[in-house]
Amino acid sequence: RCSVDNRVTRVAWLNRSSILYAGNDKWCLDPRVVLLANTKTQYSIQIQDVDVYDEGPYTCSVQTDNHPKTSRVHLIVQVSPKITEISSDISINEGGNVSLTCIATGRPDPTITWRHISPKAVGFISEDEYLEITGITREQSGEYECSASNDVSAPVVQRVKVTVNYPPYISDAKSTGVPVGQKGILLCEASAVPSADFQWYKDDKRLAEGQKGLKVENKAFFSRLTFFNVSEQDYGNYTCVASNQLGNTNASMILYGES
């Protein structure tokens, strides 16, 4: 907007040195620039669908009886943040190094932060486009969120999933006492990424699925060995072996009788 009074005889709007309007006459070809008002008190133009290229100085030039006068206004164009590039989901062995990248645009330049989406995580782990994790641990697996903000609009966020592979670790394997004729269960719990494959042995002999009187149930984090009708021959030492591509581990337990 440009305020004028009854002493003004000529008016024009310029963008840098280019004339946009002179009086009611349009001098520029851009259809987005329109004349809003040319009255005794106001000479105003409107720029529709503003683009970053519209940023810069605009000059209202007025001619009075004896003096030309100009007033200048600077248009600052703001742009909401946008994440243009982000790392893909990654799978890595425990102890390896991870580099995550998040590139964003906006005006003013957005602030970029990384955080680990985890109950134990507190605050940001990087206030930068890049996140470097050296010697990654299994606790550092999960989703990492990149946030880009510049106060023009709400921050934009995207997530990257980091999978940390590690060999099996048997967390629970207890010996069990069961009387003859009763149902008995041996349980072997193991955490591993990728999930462990389980095998059972009695002494040195591998137990096969479907063996009479036995049932082997394998899930992602445990294996259950069920004896439907325990006999004296079932008592003894059993070994659970958990393995994946990164290694294997085993644990022994005893099925014993109870008086």
Side-chain angles (χ1 to χ4, degrees), residues 158-196:
Q158 284 192 36
R159 291 183 177 184
V160 177
K161 186 178 181 184
V162 177
T163 302
V164 179
N165 304 312
Y166 57 92
Y169 162 72
I170 293 178
S171 52
D172 195 18
K174 291 191 183 81
S175 296
T176 306
V178 183
V180 168
Q182 297 292 310
K183 182 178 179 181
I185 293 174
L186 291 176
L187 191 65
C188 179
E189 293 183 14
S191 58
V193 177
S195 297

Side-chain angles (χ1 to χ4, degrees), residues 118-153:
S118 158
K120 294 180 183 175
V122 181
F124 302 122
I125 48 173
S126 174
E127 300 195 17
D128 190 5
E129 295 173 343
Y130 306 102
L131 171 61
E132 303 282 344
I133 306 171
T134 54
I136 196 165
T137 64
R138 62 194 72 178
E139 291 78 21
Q140 290 173 302
S141 68
E143 290 193 309
Y144 287 79
E145 184 177 85
C146 168
S147 172
S149 62
N150 67 358
D151 296 331
V152 177
S153 63

